[in-house]
Amino acid sequence: MNASLIDPALLAQDCPEALTGSLRSGHSTCIRFSHRGDLLASGRFDGTVVLFDLETNGLARKLRGHTAQIQSLSWSSDDRYLLSSSQDCKAILWDLKDGSRVRTVRFEAPVFIADLHPKNHLLFVAALFEEQPVLVDISTPDPVKQVLTSAPHRSQIERDNQTEKQAAQDAKQTTTVIIFSASGAHIIAGTNKGWVNIIDPNTCQNLYSVRLTTGVVILIRLTASGKDMVVNSSDRIIRTIPLRNLSSPELDFHNFKLEVEHKFQDLVNRLSWNCISFSSTGEYLAASTWMNHDIYVWERGHGSLVKILEGPKEELSIIDWHPHRPAVAAVGVDTGRVYMWSILTPQRWSALAPDFVEIEENLEYIEREDEFDIQPPEELHKRRLDLEDEEVDVLTIEPMKNEHEPGQFLMPVLLDVQNSDSEDDIVAVGTGQFRRKTPGQEWLDDSQVPGSGDEARRQTNGASSSAQPGPKRKR
Amino acid sequence: MSAEDSELRPESSRPNSRDVDSGRSGFNTTSPSERYYTPPPERKELHYKLTMTLMGHKKAVTMVKFSPDGKKIASCSSDATIKIWDVEAARYEHTLEGHLAGISTIAWAPDSTMIASGSDDKSIRLWNARTGRAHPYPCLGHHNYVYSIAFSPKGNMIVSGSYDEAVFLWDVRAARPMRTLPAHSDPVSGVDFVRDGTLIVSCSSDGLIRLWDTATGQCLRTLIHEDNAPVTSVRFSPNGKYVLAWALDNSIRLWNYVEGRCMKTYTGHKNEKFSLGGSFGVYGPRDNRSAFVASGDEDGAVWLWDVGSKVMLQKIEKAHEGVVFSVDTYSGPECDMIVSGGDDNAVRVWVQKETEPNTMDSDGARPAKEAEHVPDGTADGVDGDAVNGDVEMVDASGPQ
């Protein structure tokens, strides 16, 4: 509702311009904005997943369950569920209503990436380290895993002429990145030999393959609309590929072709790219760079570099563009801090007094005809009241974009999120002054679960520590 | 805040803000232009009746609030306690004790599980509304009395205004200040969040109403009335497009904050010394509701005005002995309710029934003749001594 009061020039800006803040809880290795953009999930080196509230820049929840570095995070479309995958060979689906684990899925190998189906939060795909990717149905407590292929799709003629060596090579390929298309009707996967496969999740058949590069496909991401795809690969080139016809019903994979629209690279410095992200509309593309402190932003229409966002004095790894604001978040490799770039909003001084106007140059003031007339106050007052004859509507609510609607999932506000974490026991009490946090008594009653649901369950089962009265000290 | 403390400086130096309407009754203020205003077809009169008197506070009740789900009423008082009452069961539930001085303001979290309170002991406390227990960490940071607070619509932030002339934004989860706004040059008497949480409004006895961007903390607009009367309370309209501001010149004004214009002035009541608070309410048929403004006054009455026509819909005379500090409304599926709190230490609940037969007040006289009622200030329900009649008394002053 603030849009009507904000300088339109600021509203028109769609690309971040400066480092505006940072968030920290442990050493972050992976971040992802929620679809509504009010939360940022951050996976940590120690396996904890934390949620930052972007309105308060404070911690909103901690989810403990993984024991090794978090590799990927994926939100359900209603922002109620979060899928995390980790190097500890597990993927966990979290219910953010109470912080409990809906499902824990174990794999044979560390997980590269796990991506939730856009419409069904009980279905996901995962790419595994040196294993074939899997499609996992977790609608039942026992997860059903279906192995997908990494071998490229070959036409009949190709198959007939295939040499043994080629066949062996095809079989040796592994998938390094796998995601669902925006409709969920297809799976898009990238392999370690530079192939991109389109797989049907129903039949698990590879429908189409194209070799984009000879290097490893590092990351594939889509725009919010799902109409464009961007591929980062180890050959130091970022490719954007339109997917416009992927969702059409009369899609025929015999005539289907993925064509590269733009290739972004730095020919001078030969930079390689750590991570890439589309802007909310897909108009811009941001990339963090290897061994470099900057974020490169390209404009996709012309394929030109529009901005280099200067960062902190450290290399940046995972990067994500806010779903509807001109803001970018990125993780610092050395400190594990999450940095935020956004637009700068200077204070308009005319807002502080209604009779101030911001003018470009001096104007001669022309007084109103009756400006200095002396009138009886009753007269003035009466006239003022008489002017108030417009109709006002104080009730009708106009629906707005990106607004929380009643009935939508809203994460409960927990009051003791920061408790019981060694690092966050230190609280800032002033500039440069810190003190250890005083542990307080259990304030929430049993129906409100602290931290994660698992912890609460453990507490009730064990009935050891939580039964003690008085303050608990963690270390 | 005791009643004496909550008294703001009377602006006696402004003659034109004084003579305005003190002598008139609500209906004589109808201005010529309002003759052209075609009133909507539904009845232009309301009949709220007393159903409950909630006794227990030992000093003046400074604020009363319905929980967002309408099941509870919270009241705070200058006796440094908050009391929670169950509306349906007409039952006293909890007394929240912990503040060291009078409490001026309370706010319910949007999910009705938590109450925040601001006190003259400079702290803001969070309370579990179900258990009545206090959160271990009070929100400390203000340098003077906390005078007004509001929850953000998601419940993750609190905005507070204080006598230290600043507006603070608090992170509820961490109970620490997120942002401090050097907002005014006089005590900040009122704050509110807009319904999507992106704007904050604050008002002060310096006569200014300011709108702030929640995300950046920048002032986006300042509203000031020509008379510059101290503004004592401010609220966004239910749709967030207007702000309603109580001023100490016997006026409540509805502002279009985008254009910076005063759209409506509600007058008739007496408000020159005390900081009063009120609310928007709704009336009329369910599919086409109209809005009213509810406020107390310094003579013990509760006033309800139609938002569009500025016509008085009901004046509950002698609702309280002395000043009516706070009024809140709730529109439920069966009946609409108003709660008021005043200088006589009482909290009173008033009900307007939608459908007549299923009755909560057994006063059957009202329904039949209600259509012919002329809002002339003499019909029953308008000036009848509402404290009499078939009402429940709930007393919490026992050993609690």
Side-chain angles (χ1 to χ4, degrees):
Chain A
M1 310 232 40
N2 56 358
S4 50
L5 292 179
I6 289 180
D7 187 358
L10 283 176
L11 286 175
Q13 279 194 43
D14 45 10
C15 187
E17 52 187 11
L19 187 65
T20 50
S22 75
L23 304 166
R24 180 179 168 83
S25 165
H27 190 116
S28 176
T29 56
C30 176
I31 51 167
R32 189 56 74 93
F33 284 107
S34 67
H35 289 101
R36 278 205 299 273
D38 53 349
L39 295 170
L40 177 75
S42 154
R44 302 198 326 200
F45 185 74
D46 63 2
T48 310
V49 177
V50 296
L51 302 181
F52 290 104
D53 183 329
L54 295 171
E55 287 176 354
T56 64
N57 285 346
L59 274 190
R61 200 183 272 282
K62 272 184 187 168
L63 306 165
R64 290 196 185 81
H66 289 292
T67 52
Q69 179 180 330
I70 304 296
Q71 282 294 110
S72 77
L73 296 161
S74 176
W75 290 85
S76 69
S77 54
D78 61 355
D79 286 348
R80 174 168 172 177
Y81 300 96
L82 179 70
L83 180 74
S84 61
S85 73
S86 158
Q87 289 182 358
D88 66 1
C89 313
K90 279 189 296 195
I92 300 179
L93 183 72
W94 305 91
D95 184 349
L96 302 182
K97 190 177 171 66
D98 53 5
S100 63
R101 296 183 218 176
V102 182
R103 298 280 186 270
T104 303
V105 183
R106 275 165 221 284
F107 298 103
E108 304 298 311
V111 187
F112 276 135
I113 185 170
D115 192 46
L116 275 182
H117 188 280
K119 284 161 192 159
N120 175 5
H121 69 271
L122 295 171
L123 190 67
F124 72 91
V125 285
L128 308 174
F129 178 71
E130 292 186 343
E131 293 268 344
Q132 291 307 317
V134 283
L135 173 70
V136 188
D137 182 351
I138 47 175
S139 48
T140 54
D142 274 330
V144 181
K145 295 180 202 167
Q146 277 180 287
V147 178
L148 306 172
T149 176
S150 300
H153 174 79
R154 304 282 186 192
S155 64
Q156 195 59 45
I157 308 147
E158 278 177 315
R159 242 175 284 162
D160 293 341
N161 302 338
Q162 205 171 25
T163 61
E164 228 167 79
K165 190 181 160 207
Q166 208 181 1
Q169 265 182 355
D170 276 3
K172 255 202 319 212
Q173 282 203 39
T174 62
T175 296
T176 50
V177 53
I178 191 159
I179 56 169
F180 273 105
S181 67
S183 63
H186 298 96
I187 297 167
I188 303 167
T191 73
N192 60 342
K193 301 278 191 237
W195 288 83
V196 168
N197 299 324
I198 294 179
I199 301 166
D200 184 341
N202 299 319
T203 62
C204 296
Q205 290 297 307
N206 192 346
L207 299 174
Y208 173 81
S209 295
V210 63
R211 188 165 202 187
L212 290 176
T213 161
T214 53
V216 182
V217 176
I218 301 171
L219 188 62
I220 299 176
R221 294 194 72 172
L222 305 176
T223 53
S225 62
K227 286 182 178 160
D228 294 280
M229 161 168 105
V230 59
V231 179
N232 184 25
S233 68
S234 60
D235 65 356
R236 304 177 182 198
I237 300 174
I238 297 168
R239 294 170 174 83
T240 62
I241 301 162
L243 284 177
R244 286 188 186 86
N245 44 6
L246 193 58
S247 49
S248 74
E250 63 267 19
L251 177 68
D252 180 10
F253 277 98
H254 294 296
N255 309 319
F256 182 76
K257 204 160 185 299
L258 284 182
E259 275 169 6
V260 174
E261 175 197 50
H262 289 296
K263 286 185 181 180
F264 298 111
Q265 57 185 322
D266 186 332
L267 293 168
V268 182
N269 301 318
R270 299 287 297 145
L271 289 170
S272 65
W273 315 105
N274 280 340
C275 185
I276 45 176
S277 178
F278 271 121
S279 71
S280 39
T281 55
E283 206 178 329
Y284 296 94
L285 185 69
S288 58
T289 50
W290 187 67
M291 295 287 280
N292 190 312
H293 302 167
D294 298 329
I295 290 178
Y296 283 59
V297 181
W298 293 275
E299 199 264 326
R300 212 168 49 92
H302 299 93
S304 55
L305 181 71
V306 289
K307 204 161 268 181
I308 297 178
L309 295 173
E310 293 196 11
K313 298 265 176 286
E314 64 175 314
E315 184 185 338
L316 300 163
S317 57
I318 305 297
I319 176 171
D320 200 20
W321 197 298
H322 191 276
H324 48 80
R325 281 210 295 264
V328 167
V331 175
V333 170
D334 302 328
T335 61
R337 215 171 244 286
V338 180
Y339 297 97
M340 303 278 288
W341 287 259
S342 189
I343 53 170
L344 300 170
T345 51
Q347 171 72 57
R348 276 164 58 234
W349 300 108
S350 60
L352 293 169
D355 42 358
F356 280 22
V357 185
E358 275 158 12
I359 49 174
E360 294 292 317
E361 54 189 24
N362 284 340
L363 296 174
E364 195 166 337
Y365 182 72
I366 302 162
E367 73 199 47
R368 274 196 337 268
E369 168 57 33
D370 59 346
E371 184 163 352
F372 297 104
D373 290 3
I374 296 167
Q375 282 162 334
E378 302 92 54
E379 190 81 358
L380 264 179
H381 187 82
K382 194 160 176 297
R383 198 180 306 160
R384 235 185 263 144
L385 289 182
D386 289 353
L387 286 173
E388 296 173 354
D389 55 353
E390 279 173 75
E391 283 205 41
V392 292
D393 180 358
V394 297
L395 297 177
T396 311
I397 291 164
E398 284 173 17
M400 296 208 310
K401 232 177 75 181
N402 307 321
E403 199 192 350
H404 180 83
E405 290 154 23
Q408 266 184 327
F409 173 69
L410 191 59
M411 203 172 72
V413 174
L414 299 182
L415 295 184
D416 57 351
V417 193
Q418 297 206 313
N419 283 356
S420 72
D421 189 77
S422 55
E423 197 183 39
D424 298 329
D425 272 354
I426 309 294
V427 287
V429 290
T431 38
Q433 286 181 295
F434 298 91
R435 68 167 171 81
R436 190 164 288 273
K437 197 150 139 186
T438 329
Q441 73 218 40
E442 282 289 324
W443 181 70
L444 295 166
D445 55 12
D446 46 17
S447 62
Q448 280 169 302
V449 185
S452 81
D454 287 315
E455 258 171 71
R457 235 169 279 144
R458 214 176 302 136
Q459 279 181 6
T460 45
N461 292 345
S464 52
S465 61
S466 60
Q468 288 168 4
K472 294 191 291 183
R473 195 169 276 278
K474 264 285 163 180
R475 287 207 306 187
Chain B
M1 170 127 350
S2 72
E4 293 77 36
D5 290 344
S6 63
E7 188 173 324
L8 287 168
R9 267 187 292 111
E11 293 282 292
S12 50
S13 58
R14 292 172 204 288
N16 56 344
S17 67
R18 179 52 63 81
D19 64 336
V20 186
D21 12 43
S22 44
R24 306 175 183 175
S25 82
F27 272 84
N28 297 339
T29 57
T30 318
S31 57
S33 64
E34 276 160 6
R35 279 183 227 130
Y36 308 114
Y37 180 86
T38 45
E42 71 264 27
R43 64 162 182 248
K44 302 291 282 178
E45 190 181 351
L46 290 171
H47 303 277
Y48 277 91
K49 298 243 158 139
L50 183 68
T51 59
M52 273 191 274
T53 300
L54 312 173
M55 295 301 294
H57 281 296
K58 296 188 176 67
K59 285 188 185 172
V61 176
T62 49
M63 191 174 272
V64 286
K65 280 272 166 83
F66 279 109
S67 64
D69 59 12
K71 291 183 178 146
K72 306 276 171 70
I73 290 169
S75 60
C76 67
S77 158
S78 37
D79 66 5
T81 65
I82 300 161
K83 288 186 193 290
I84 302 178
W85 317 81
D86 187 310
V87 180
E88 259 170 53
R91 191 160 50 90
Y92 154 80
E93 283 205 331
H94 294 292
T95 298
L96 314 183
E97 286 174 319
H99 276 300
L100 305 173
I103 302 164
S104 311
T105 175
I106 42 175
W108 283 90
D111 60 359
S112 300
T113 59
M114 197 161 46
I115 293 173
S117 60
S119 159
D120 284 8
D121 66 8
K122 307 175 191 173
S123 71
I124 295 169
R125 276 182 180 274
L126 300 173
W127 310 84
N128 185 323
R130 204 166 33 217
T131 64
R133 277 196 284 175
H135 186 49
Y137 311 113
C139 303
L140 299 174
H142 275 300
H143 301 298
N144 210 330
Y145 311 148
V146 180
Y147 202 70
S148 177
I149 55 177
F151 263 100
S152 74
K154 284 182 189 154
N156 56 351
M157 290 183 280
I158 289 175
V159 62
S160 65
S162 158
Y163 261 58
D164 65 9
E165 303 173 4
V167 169
F168 278 44
L169 255 176
W170 303 82
D171 179 350
V172 171
R173 296 182 183 96
R176 75 185 156 77
M178 257 166 62
R179 205 186 272 289
T180 64
L181 310 172
H184 291 277
S185 54
D186 261 328
V188 180
S189 46
V191 287
D192 196 16
F193 261 108
V194 77
R195 51 179 292 277
D196 70 350
T198 56
L199 284 176
I200 290 167
V201 65
S202 70
C203 68
S204 160
S205 35
D206 63 8
L208 303 181
I209 302 164
R210 288 207 156 116
L211 288 122
W212 307 85
D213 189 312
T214 311
T216 64
Q218 280 165 353
C219 180
L220 295 177
R221 180 73 91 228
T222 300
L223 309 174
I224 182 163
H225 192 255
E226 283 155 63
D227 295 345
N228 202 21
V231 185
T232 57
S233 180
V234 71
R235 282 191 90 143
F236 276 103
S237 69
N239 64 2
K241 289 191 165 171
Y242 301 91
V243 293
L244 186 66
W246 278 253
L248 289 187
D249 58 354
N250 301 310
S251 305
I252 302 167
R253 294 193 175 85
L254 185 72
W255 292 83
N256 178 331
Y257 61 81
V258 177
E259 294 169 24
R261 273 193 310 134
C262 175
M263 304 295 287
K264 303 281 171 188
T265 306
Y266 307 100
T267 53
H269 65 304
K270 181 162 175 272
N271 183 14
E272 294 176 326
K273 267 159 70 177
F274 292 95
S275 165
L276 308 182
S279 175
F280 283 97
V282 290
Y283 71 99
R286 293 269 146 182
D287 49 347
N288 180 25
R289 306 226 85 173
S290 309
F292 67 81
V293 168
S295 172
D297 79 357
E298 290 169 6
D299 293 332
V302 172
W303 293 70
L304 311 177
W305 295 269
D306 179 66
V307 166
S309 65
K310 306 190 279 183
V311 170
M312 183 186 73
L313 298 168
Q314 186 179 1
K315 179 185 177 188
I316 307 174
E317 297 265 21
K318 295 179 201 147
H320 291 268
E321 299 287 321
V323 184
V324 181
F325 283 112
S326 174
V327 177
D328 196 23
T329 62
Y330 175 75
S331 174
E334 278 129 39
C335 62
D336 296 340
M337 288 185 287
I338 286 179
V339 61
S340 61
D343 207 10
D344 57 356
N345 310 353
V347 175
R348 294 210 163 87
V349 183
W350 316 80
V351 166
Q352 156 111 353
K353 280 306 216 31
E354 185 79 359
T355 46
E356 308 310 339
N358 52 348
T359 174
M360 192 157 150
D361 57 349
S362 53
D363 180 351
R366 178 164 56 83
K369 57 179 180 178
E370 138 192 293
E372 295 98 77
H373 270 184
V374 187
D376 58 1
T378 55
D380 66 2
V382 177
D383 72 342
D385 188 0
V387 184
N388 295 334
D390 188 4
V391 296
E392 258 177 288
M393 287 285 282
V394 182
D395 198 338
S397 54
Q400 293 295 345

